[in-house]
Amino acid sequence: MMIPIRRQLKKWIHHPYFGFLIVAFIFVLVQVANTVGLLGTSQVRAIGLTMIYFIIALGFTLLLGYAGLASLGTAGFVGFGAYLLGNVMRVLGLPFIAAILIGILSAIVLGSLIGFISLRIEGMYLAIITLAVSEVFVELFKNAVSLTGGTDGFRIPTLTLFGRTLGILDRAPVYFMLTFFLLLIMIATFNLINSPIGRAMLAIKNSDSAGQAMGVGLLKYRILAFVIATIYAIIGGMLYMMYYRSSIPDTWSLALSLNILAAVIVGGSKSIWGVLIGVFLIFGLDTMVLKDIQFFVTYPNTTLIFSGALIILIVMFYPGGIIKLLVNTKYRIQKMIQSRKEYLYGKDDL
Amino acid sequence: MEKMTYRGFLKRYYRSRIERYMFLIESLHAYLPILESNSQKKMNQSLEDLKVMQQKKLDHAYFLTQDPEKRLSILKEDLREKRNQKYYWTLRAIKQKRKRLEAKGDETIAHEARLMEKAALGAIENKIETALNRLSKHPSLSKPLMEKAVYEALEKTLSDAWLNHQQERLNRHQKRLNQEKVKVSKKAEIYQTRLNVLKEKLTHLEGQLLHEETERLEQLSEKKKEDPTYQAMDHAIDHLNAKLRLRENQDIHLTLSHLSMSFAGLKAVDDLSFDVKKGSIFGLIGPNGAGKTTVFNCITQFYKPTSGAIYFKNNKQEVVSLLDYPVHEIIKQGIVRTFQNVELIWELNILDNMLVGAHSLYKSSLLTQLLHLPMLKREEEVVKAKAIRILDSLGLLSYKDFYPLGLPYGILKKIELARTLMTDPQLIILDEPAAGLNDQETKALAKTIKDIQKHHGCTIFLVEHDMELVMDICDEICAINFGKKIAIGTPREIQSHPEVREAYLGGE
């Protein structure tokens, strides 16, 4: 029974979820390599952080690449998620699932609020409004000392996860949970993009009058885009808090929002794989590779020059992002092989 | 305007439920043939696999019945064929190279090329020869001889077993399919009973409401004498009369009553009233800036008119006031429009553009779409099949996977027209369909529009500057100037109307 098995295997490999599974598997392997001793702990921590930013950037992709709404308030929501988890788990002592549910509920409220605003205000002005909301959050983090610990930061020394108490250095279980969440969110994003919702969002991005004439309600889909992006951001923040066990207000400044925007634009604002590449270029390269080079250790802010130059190059020459460059290169190579074959064997005249 | 009363709310609720059940029943029925063909395909595939396996086994058995000498020759033949396939491209490349060199015209080079070719061919032949010589040590040559009777028995059992297997598969498959069919039809039945109950409730409620409305009309006509704002009252009664006319008259499809639209004091449409007949092609003409597109935008609720009423007989033969609906729900009443400059979704390919056109048909919830549950897949398959059918009927199927950017303008216009057909509309509104097309394309477009009107049985309402097209295809034409109606009638009447001539050519 060789043939059917092979066909079945082919079916699995060509299934769209297969790639996501492979990515999640590689991330799991990273942690395993750390326990075996092949990879340093700081590298694994950097990869974990990049995964969290990947989750947040996926939400931003839906917002910018699909619904066409510019937002600079991502960091505020991520921070909100982080402090929310801290308060719910350490102060109230509720389980993790409760924290996630509360996070999703508050994301729905916050997202629909900004979604309503987005119906009246568009483009740059929407970005400014979201930036203002984010800054309000940051001020709140700095000043509401009883809830957030102020500028000293908020810490969770011990974490109870599914009946297990984890110490501050016990990061592996959280890392695996992070991978699981990443897999779920990648699949959910893929499903949303490839369903009527994704098409409707693209329709209102390209031409809102045509979208409305075809039955796409502007308000519904803008709110939906904001709610989904906010849910991703808040879940990202919660995972950050669980993985890092501490949070200070300075982390959630405009720089993070801009970096996520940069990651999405550099990678390609309409592709999950593009965002993965972008996130690794903007966040991963900085924390994993450049950090070990002496020059960048002496002058830490020079890494920003690198990402800035990258953004300028990409926006100037490849507005579709790096994923577009890769796809184009693939086609070019295929074409080259074809022409080489034609040169060698001739066209079908023999 | 309908007030938001409890019963009004109830009516909308019933309607939405009825719509849902109708859709569910429809989708179940549409899904059945797809299911059948898919399973048939799967079965054929597995049967073919079985055949290949059987043939392989029989071949091997036949091979074992032969003498060692013959076995060797069979093996050699096999190998020779395989090697020929393997070296096909190399041989071709060698020939090609020789040809290229010969084409240079130099005799010495040609001679060398021939020698080179000969050497290369010889090398390949050598390789094949050594491989053939190695075959004499093949392990299958030493296997014991199979008797002919054994082979025949094997052949028989194999074919019998195969036949049995096939029969079993067929039976099992048929059984499963029947089960599925029964399930689907049961589901459809349940939905049908629920639908009937809902329909009864709705007709009862609507009867009540209609009775009350006539009473109100009577009261209004009594009040008219006392009211000082005489004209407004008149208009209100005109609106109600228009609604009643639409309800009683089978021919009329859409009616505008005293429609006015002003932008900060500028009257773009001024007191415009006309009826559009069912199944006709209705043209709206006028000089530039006469307010034609504004009328369209008022009908499709992109603008909310300053005053006036628009009534429409929707796809369930109910008379509705379009002013009660937001822009994105107009399509559910059966009105679809196109735009002056093509408004396709540039980031989606043509097939996906068609699916966007069918957006209002999708009933799957957010959760269904998030998890890609079977219901969504079923819907997608049904809608995709419909899109492909429509593209095929308009001769656009070859553009299915293209992106709109870079396609010719005529094709884009045609695609936009195809997109409107996705929801089986009752009324198609075309905003300057021939703008930017050359003569030939315009003629083709006229034919397409007529075909659509004939095959889909829908009313077409268009604005156009190309007089030839308008006079050619329209059954009735309304001419407006500065937002006011100046004439309405058949193309011939409009052509000879003095005011229309004045508006277009200028008076003295």
Side-chain angles (χ1 to χ4, degrees):
Chain A
M1 294 294 269
M2 259 324 276
I3 302 161
I5 288 172
R6 202 177 298 160
R7 193 175 298 130
Q8 194 65 34
L9 216 65
K10 217 172 178 181
K11 217 164 129 191
W12 284 339
I13 288 173
H14 286 282
H15 197 278
Y17 297 168
F18 186 74
F20 304 146
L21 274 172
I22 291 287
V23 167
F25 184 65
I26 289 171
F27 282 137
V28 167
L29 276 190
V30 166
Q31 181 66 43
V32 172
N34 179 39
T35 42
V36 171
L38 287 174
L39 211 64
T41 310
S42 66
Q43 249 78 8
V44 176
R45 276 184 70 176
I47 287 175
L49 189 62
T50 315
M51 274 158 68
I52 290 167
Y53 290 141
F54 182 37
I55 289 176
I56 299 161
L58 279 178
F60 198 73
T61 312
L62 275 179
L63 203 58
L64 184 75
Y66 281 82
L69 299 165
S71 158
L72 287 177
T74 327
F77 297 124
V78 182
F80 177 73
Y83 286 114
L84 190 68
L85 180 110
N87 277 304
V88 169
M89 286 187 77
R90 197 191 76 179
V91 182
L92 298 181
L94 291 176
F96 167 66
I97 299 291
I100 288 278
L101 283 180
I102 291 171
I104 288 175
L105 278 180
S106 50
I108 289 170
V109 173
L110 281 171
S112 34
L113 216 68
I114 296 173
F116 263 114
I117 297 171
S118 76
L119 201 64
R120 295 266 167 219
I121 301 164
E122 284 180 348
M124 273 330 291
Y125 303 102
L126 182 65
I128 292 169
I129 292 261
T130 48
L131 174 61
V133 172
S134 173
E135 288 305 308
V136 167
F137 271 123
V138 172
E139 285 306 310
L140 213 70
F141 301 152
K142 277 180 189 162
N143 294 313
V145 181
S146 59
L147 287 174
T148 64
T151 41
D152 294 341
F154 191 96
R155 257 164 264 282
I156 319 181
T158 55
L159 190 71
T160 314
L161 206 62
F162 302 114
R164 265 182 72 185
T165 307
L166 305 175
I168 194 142
L169 289 174
D170 206 0
R171 284 214 176 85
V174 181
Y175 183 92
F176 290 134
M177 207 178 69
L178 188 57
T179 323
F180 178 67
F181 264 86
L182 183 70
L183 181 65
L184 281 191
I185 278 179
M186 277 200 288
I187 288 175
T189 313
F190 175 85
N191 283 351
L192 278 180
I193 288 171
N194 291 292
S195 60
I197 288 180
R199 288 197 294 265
M201 282 180 183
L202 271 182
I204 58 172
K205 177 190 174 191
N206 280 246
S207 149
D208 54 1
S209 48
Q212 281 178 314
M214 295 303 140
V216 180
L218 269 191
L219 185 66
K220 183 181 164 190
Y221 285 95
R222 284 199 174 156
I223 286 182
L224 192 65
F226 263 112
V227 165
I228 292 169
T230 315
I231 286 177
Y232 284 12
I234 285 185
I235 286 181
M238 290 181 156
L239 293 171
Y240 179 93
M241 196 62 167
M242 278 164 58
Y243 194 55
Y244 268 74
R245 304 291 171 77
S246 76
S247 153
I248 50 170
D250 280 348
T251 322
W252 316 117
S253 61
L254 177 62
L256 178 63
S257 302
L258 288 177
N259 271 339
I260 285 182
L261 174 70
V264 168
I265 286 176
V266 165
S269 61
K270 271 173 62 193
S271 151
I272 293 175
W273 301 113
V275 173
L276 183 62
I277 295 169
V279 163
F280 264 92
L281 276 180
I282 298 291
F283 294 105
L285 209 61
D286 183 15
T287 44
M288 275 153 48
V289 183
L290 300 185
K291 203 186 63 182
D292 295 334
I293 299 170
Q294 189 53 45
F295 175 77
F296 291 109
V297 177
T298 340
Y299 309 103
N301 279 341
T302 38
T303 52
L304 290 178
I305 296 173
F306 177 75
S307 49
L310 202 64
I311 293 169
I312 292 171
L313 284 179
I314 293 286
V315 170
M316 271 178 78
F317 297 110
Y318 272 93
I322 285 180
I323 194 76
K324 189 107 180 177
L325 179 77
L326 291 183
V327 169
N328 282 359
T329 321
K330 191 179 143 200
Y331 282 134
R332 219 166 280 168
I333 288 173
Q334 274 174 359
K335 231 178 180 180
M336 239 167 62
I337 291 172
Q338 187 65 32
S339 65
R340 180 77 195 147
K341 246 185 185 170
E342 267 176 20
Y343 174 75
L344 268 180
Y345 306 132
K347 282 176 189 167
D348 288 326
D349 58 338
L350 267 166
Chain B
M1 273 214 197
E2 244 176 274
K3 276 180 199 160
M4 272 308 288
T5 55
Y6 168 68
R7 278 183 303 180
F9 178 75
L10 206 63
K11 204 167 92 178
R12 275 195 195 180
Y13 171 72
Y14 284 154
R15 271 189 198 154
S16 71
R17 295 305 296 173
I18 285 175
E19 229 171 72
R20 185 171 170 79
Y21 281 127
M22 274 163 89
F23 168 77
L24 281 173
I25 291 167
E26 204 178 289
S27 71
L28 282 176
H29 285 314
Y31 179 58
L32 216 54
I34 292 174
L35 181 87
E36 214 157 335
S37 75
N38 276 357
S39 55
Q40 195 65 40
K41 252 187 237 162
K42 249 187 220 166
M43 207 171 66
N44 287 346
Q45 189 63 52
S46 54
L47 276 183
E48 246 164 52
D49 290 349
L50 267 178
K51 267 185 199 168
V52 169
M53 262 172 46
Q54 184 203 24
Q55 197 56 47
K56 264 189 178 174
K57 275 186 183 169
L58 279 179
D59 279 354
H60 189 65
Y62 179 74
F63 175 74
L64 289 181
T65 56
Q66 303 296 320
D67 298 330
E69 298 243 329
K70 215 160 187 190
R71 282 186 200 175
L72 187 62
S73 70
I74 288 174
L75 278 177
K76 274 187 178 173
E77 256 172 48
D78 247 26
L79 190 72
R80 165 86 52 186
E81 204 170 296
K82 270 184 198 163
R83 285 294 186 269
N84 277 346
Q85 271 179 15
K86 187 181 165 189
Y87 291 121
Y88 173 76
W89 289 103
T90 330
L91 288 171
R92 202 170 142 170
I94 291 165
K95 271 186 195 168
Q96 196 70 15
K97 196 174 177 188
R98 191 250 303 160
K99 268 192 179 178
R100 263 209 307 279
L101 288 172
E102 268 182 351
K104 283 186 178 170
D106 198 337
E107 189 46 44
T108 51
I109 291 177
H111 184 65
E112 257 176 44
R114 264 177 240 126
L115 282 182
M116 253 164 66
E117 187 197 11
K118 216 175 175 182
L121 288 181
I124 287 175
E125 193 57 36
N126 263 347
K127 269 188 191 172
I128 296 177
E129 274 305 318
T130 48
L132 286 179
N133 287 338
R134 237 181 279 141
L135 270 184
S136 53
K137 289 170 194 163
H138 200 275
S140 65
L141 289 178
S142 54
K143 276 186 185 168
L145 193 79
M146 190 189 263
E147 278 172 38
K148 210 148 199 185
V150 178
Y151 170 70
E152 272 162 13
L154 184 70
E155 197 178 9
K156 206 183 166 196
T157 49
L158 256 184
S159 72
D160 278 354
W162 179 64
L163 268 176
N164 283 339
H165 200 78
Q166 188 188 12
Q167 200 58 44
E168 241 171 60
R169 247 166 198 277
L170 258 171
N171 289 343
R172 233 184 301 153
H173 192 80
Q174 202 61 38
K175 219 172 162 185
R176 219 177 302 150
L177 196 68
N178 282 340
Q179 276 173 3
E180 193 79 10
K181 269 185 185 171
V182 168
K183 229 198 240 166
V184 167
S185 56
K186 252 187 196 168
K187 242 185 195 173
E189 251 173 46
I190 292 169
Y191 289 149
Q192 192 66 46
T193 50
R194 284 190 205 164
L195 181 69
N196 289 341
V197 171
L198 275 172
K199 265 186 178 169
E200 238 169 58
K201 276 185 186 169
L202 183 66
T203 45
H204 182 68
L205 191 70
E206 264 182 337
Q208 271 183 5
L209 284 173
L210 193 67
H211 186 67
E212 272 169 34
E213 204 173 331
T214 43
E215 255 177 27
R216 211 169 64 216
L217 186 69
E218 278 164 15
Q219 278 173 7
L220 264 179
S221 66
E222 273 170 26
K223 266 188 195 169
K224 178 181 156 186
K225 290 158 201 160
E226 302 151 19
D227 206 294
T229 49
Y230 194 77
Q231 204 193 353
M233 219 63 231
D234 233 17
H235 279 182
I237 287 177
D238 272 358
H239 297 340
L240 282 172
N241 275 335
K243 195 173 179 182
L244 271 179
R245 194 167 70 238
L246 197 57
R247 184 163 269 161
E248 282 158 11
N249 206 331
Q250 284 293 320
D251 282 350
I252 304 171
H253 204 179
L254 173 80
T255 170
L256 306 190
S257 165
H258 301 287
L259 186 76
S260 294
M261 177 80 210
S262 52
F263 299 103
L266 176 77
K267 279 203 164 173
V269 180
D270 190 8
D271 205 21
L272 190 67
S273 320
F274 57 78
D275 295 337
V276 177
K277 288 210 179 71
K278 192 159 198 148
S280 68
I281 300 181
F282 188 92
L284 187 65
I285 60 169
N288 283 330
K292 303 174 302 266
T293 304
T294 313
V295 173
F296 275 10
N297 283 339
C298 284
I299 293 173
T300 47
Q301 300 304 309
F302 276 90
Y303 300 151
K304 292 282 172 197
T306 323
S307 67
I310 306 168
Y311 293 107
F312 176 66
K313 203 178 280 166
N314 71 5
N315 43 19
K316 275 163 247 120
Q317 301 306 315
E318 293 157 349
V319 175
V320 290
S321 164
L322 291 180
L323 302 179
D324 295 348
Y325 296 92
V327 199
H328 57 269
E329 277 180 19
I330 291 297
I331 192 169
K332 286 184 190 159
Q333 304 303 317
I335 301 181
V336 197
R337 67 170 291 178
T338 64
F339 294 86
Q340 237 175 57
N341 7 342
V342 179
E343 299 261 5
L344 289 170
I345 317 303
W346 302 101
E347 292 178 51
L348 289 175
N349 63 19
I350 302 305
L351 188 63
D352 282 349
N353 262 295
M354 298 290 283
L355 298 192
V356 169
H359 184 81
S360 57
L361 296 182
Y362 284 98
K363 294 279 156 49
S364 340
S365 63
L366 176 64
L367 196 73
T368 319
Q369 304 196 22
L370 199 68
L371 303 177
H372 269 213
L373 293 180
M375 178 171 172
L376 178 71
K377 281 177 189 162
R378 214 159 51 198
E379 273 185 350
E380 289 262 89
E381 262 177 52
V382 172
V383 173
K384 251 181 206 167
K386 191 174 180 185
I388 284 172
R389 206 171 59 232
I390 289 171
L391 284 177
D392 198 21
S393 72
L394 288 176
L396 293 166
L397 195 56
S398 49
Y399 297 101
K400 171 164 84 81
D401 295 323
F402 282 66
Y403 282 81
L405 206 68
L407 288 182
Y409 201 66
I411 299 292
L412 293 182
K413 284 250 169 194
K414 230 173 167 183
I415 290 165
E416 213 187 8
L417 201 56
R419 189 174 66 176
T420 60
L421 294 176
M422 283 302 291
T423 44
D424 295 328
Q426 303 287 301
L427 174 66
I428 300 178
I429 297 183
L430 303 174
D431 201 348
E432 300 204 12
L437 303 186
N438 60 27
D439 276 1
Q440 222 169 3
E441 285 171 329
T442 308
K443 264 176 201 158
L445 180 81
K447 197 171 165 291
T448 316
I449 291 175
K450 281 218 150 179
D451 278 355
I452 287 171
Q453 182 225 10
K454 212 194 266 172
H455 294 308
H456 295 259
C458 45
T459 314
I460 289 170
F461 183 7
L462 55 90
V463 154
E464 187 47 69
H465 277 301
D466 192 322
M467 279 306 136
E468 210 175 308
L469 179 76
V470 175
M471 296 302 165
D472 185 21
I473 64 172
C474 285
D475 301 321
E476 202 173 5
I477 295 173
C478 175
I480 61 173
N481 197 11
F482 297 116
K484 279 188 176 151
K485 182 168 79 180
I486 45 180
I488 184 164
T490 59
R492 187 160 293 178
E493 285 167 13
I494 291 292
Q495 268 171 338
S496 55
H497 200 282
E499 274 185 65
V500 178
R501 282 167 167 267
E502 197 186 304
Y504 268 93
L505 301 172
E508 277 147 57

